[in-house]
Amino acid sequence: MTKTTETVGANTYQRIKRDIIFGTLKPGSKLKLETLKSNYSASHSTLRETLNRLTSEGFVEAPEQRGFLVPPVSQKDLKEIAELRIILESTALERSIKNGDTEWEGNLVAAHHKLHLIEKKIQEGDYTQKEAWKRYDWEFHLALIQACGSKNLLALHEILYDKYLRYQMLVLANRGEEAIAEHKEMLNAAIARDASAATEALKRHIEKGLEHTLEAF
């Protein structure tokens, strides 16, 4: 496989995954190769490879003899994703606080600063940067657990985070000051190396986000 082919494949994967997460490709909709070929300017072989990869990660379903489709959504699925995220992210956070050095602290503070600035814009009613908002949210949560020392744990967490994010984007759930305060609490506890307080704040943050999303679902 040439580097050009690899680049096209990676780009196609990222674009389709993004459109699933942000709702451009609706839950339950069929993913027809001809339509995808036109929309993403990719070959059938690249699209099949991409869809198979997304299927293995749970972002696409491939029912027998029915082609590919975007997974439907349900409250049960969202609750399970949230529960698994709490387990994985709490474990990673505990390890990260134990292992984190000065560089980890600096990256965490910087990630929180960017998130805080855009959260204020969202709170003021500016939803034009919702993708940037969620990117900064992801970067903050990743910065919290970045020093966990496990690539496998980070990879599994990323998949779960993106699945959780898909539900948030469906209802555009934003909790305003409450979520802002929770992020600040997590930051302070992590910097203070208080793993118990940090994981408790994280658990409460995810559970409150779950409740808010379910109410708007």
Side-chain angles (χ1 to χ4, degrees):
M1 182 181 293
T2 66
K3 288 186 178 180
T4 300
T5 303
E6 291 176 353
T7 300
V8 170
N11 183 56
T12 302
Y13 165 81
Q14 292 295 340
R15 289 177 63 200
I16 293 178
K17 182 179 178 181
R18 177 260 172 220
D19 286 348
I20 290 172
I21 291 172
F22 284 89
T24 302
L25 295 171
K26 304 296 183 184
S29 63
K30 291 185 177 180
L31 298 170
K32 298 180 180 180
L33 290 179
E34 287 302 323
T35 302
L36 295 176
K37 181 180 179 181
S38 174
N39 291 343
Y40 297 95
S41 302
S43 66
H44 284 173
S45 60
T46 295
L47 288 168
R48 287 194 184 93
E49 182 179 336
T50 296
L51 293 175
N52 284 328
R53 178 181 175 185
L54 289 168
T55 298
S56 71
E57 295 176 351
F59 294 100
V60 168
E61 291 185 355
E64 189 174 353
Q65 305 300 322
R66 291 177 56 193
F68 296 97
L69 56 86
V70 178
V73 294
S74 70
Q75 292 192 0
K76 179 181 178 181
D77 182 54
L78 173 57
K79 290 177 182 177
E80 182 177 350
I81 291 169
E83 289 171 1
L84 289 172
R85 185 182 163 196
I86 288 172
I87 293 170
L88 283 180
E89 197 166 336
S90 294
T91 299
L93 180 54
E94 287 181 359
R95 295 183 180 183
S96 196
I97 289 173
K98 180 180 179 180
N99 299 333
D101 56 14
T102 302
E103 183 176 353
W104 169 75
E105 288 189 8
N107 290 336
L108 178 56
V109 171
H112 178 265
H113 179 67
K114 290 192 295 183
L115 173 61
H116 183 73
L117 291 178
I118 203 163
E119 280 180 324
K120 286 297 186 181
K121 291 183 178 180
I122 295 293
Q123 193 177 18
E124 293 168 359
D126 180 6
Y127 282 88
T128 61
Q129 300 183 64
K130 67 176 184 178
E131 288 192 44
W133 165 40
K134 298 318 296 183
R135 183 173 71 252
Y136 291 149
D137 184 80
W138 158 247
E139 289 177 357
F140 172 68
H141 281 273
L142 177 60
L144 280 168
I145 65 173
Q146 189 72 63
C148 71
S150 172
K151 291 182 179 179
N152 289 321
L153 186 51
L154 290 172
L156 289 172
H157 170 261
E158 181 176 1
I159 291 173
L160 277 175
Y161 179 92
D162 283 343
K163 289 183 176 181
Y164 186 83
L165 174 58
R166 183 167 82 110
Y167 279 91
Q168 286 192 311
M169 289 299 96
L170 286 172
V171 299
L172 201 59
N174 174 51
R175 295 186 294 117
E177 281 292 348
E178 186 177 40
I180 292 173
E182 289 162 2
H183 284 142
K184 182 66 173 178
E185 184 180 359
M186 283 184 277
L187 170 69
N188 291 340
I191 295 299
R193 305 303 173 116
D194 188 338
S196 178
T199 54
E200 181 58 35
L202 171 66
K203 179 182 178 182
R204 187 168 62 254
H205 175 67
I206 296 174
E207 288 176 341
K208 289 291 186 179
L210 172 63
E211 291 174 7
H212 188 75
T213 303
L214 287 173
E215 290 174 0
F217 194 78

